[in-house]
């Protein structure tokens, strides 16, 4: 899996993500301090969503790619410390292989 953390995302970054998340993501993304991005296999993305939402006070949205029925990226939305904690928890769980 690949991860990126965007602190204080710009309006342009938010607009680009809203286009990929759909209109339902617009309300969620407007007031976030940070956006965590994760990319990987579908099975890992579903597992990562569950880990992130259980680990920290974040909201996770799928990011539609070229082929909308295939989710390979997610956006982890919230305050900076919560997004960082969620990403670290995903990494830890993936490393330990708890999803196997």
């Amino acid at each position: 899996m690949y991860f990126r953390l965007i602190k204080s995302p710009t309006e342009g970054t938010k607009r680009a993500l809203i286009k990929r998340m759909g209109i339902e993501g617009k309300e969620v993304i407007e007031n976030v301090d940070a956006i965590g991005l994760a990319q990987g296999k579908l099975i890992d993305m579903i597992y990562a969503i569950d880990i992130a939402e259980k680990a920290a006070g974040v909201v996770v949205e799928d990011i539609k790619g070229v082929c909308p029925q295939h989710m390979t990226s997610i956006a982890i939305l919230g305050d900076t410390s919560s997004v960082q904690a969620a990403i670290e928890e995903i990494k830890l769980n993936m490393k330990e292989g708890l999803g196997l």
Side-chain angles (χ1 to χ4, degrees):
M1 287 182 69
Y2 299 99
F3 296 93
R4 295 290 185 263
L5 175 65
I6 302 170
K7 298 177 183 178
S8 302
T10 66
E11 291 304 311
T13 300
K14 291 178 183 181
R15 278 193 310 273
L17 281 172
I18 290 168
K19 287 179 184 178
R20 298 255 175 216
M21 291 188 308
I23 195 69
E24 63 275 1
K26 185 175 183 177
E27 288 182 32
V28 177
I29 203 169
E30 285 181 354
N31 298 312
V32 298
D33 296 328
I35 299 170
L37 300 172
Q39 183 179 41
K41 296 177 183 177
L42 176 62
I43 191 170
D44 292 336
M45 294 297 91
I46 299 296
Y47 187 53
I49 291 168
D50 190 63
I51 293 167
E53 289 183 342
K54 287 177 179 175
V58 296
V59 174
V60 182
E61 293 283 338
D62 65 304
I63 301 171
K64 293 167 181 59
V66 176
C67 193
Q69 68 268 28
H70 294 104
M71 177 178 55
T72 58
S73 300
I74 57 173
I76 304 164
L77 310 166
D79 64 78
T80 303
S81 61
S82 295
V83 172
Q84 287 176 316
I87 290 172
E88 290 307 314
E89 191 66 22
I90 293 167
K91 289 179 179 179
L92 178 67
N93 279 272
M94 291 291 183
K95 184 177 181 180
E96 293 178 355
L98 296 177
L100 302 176

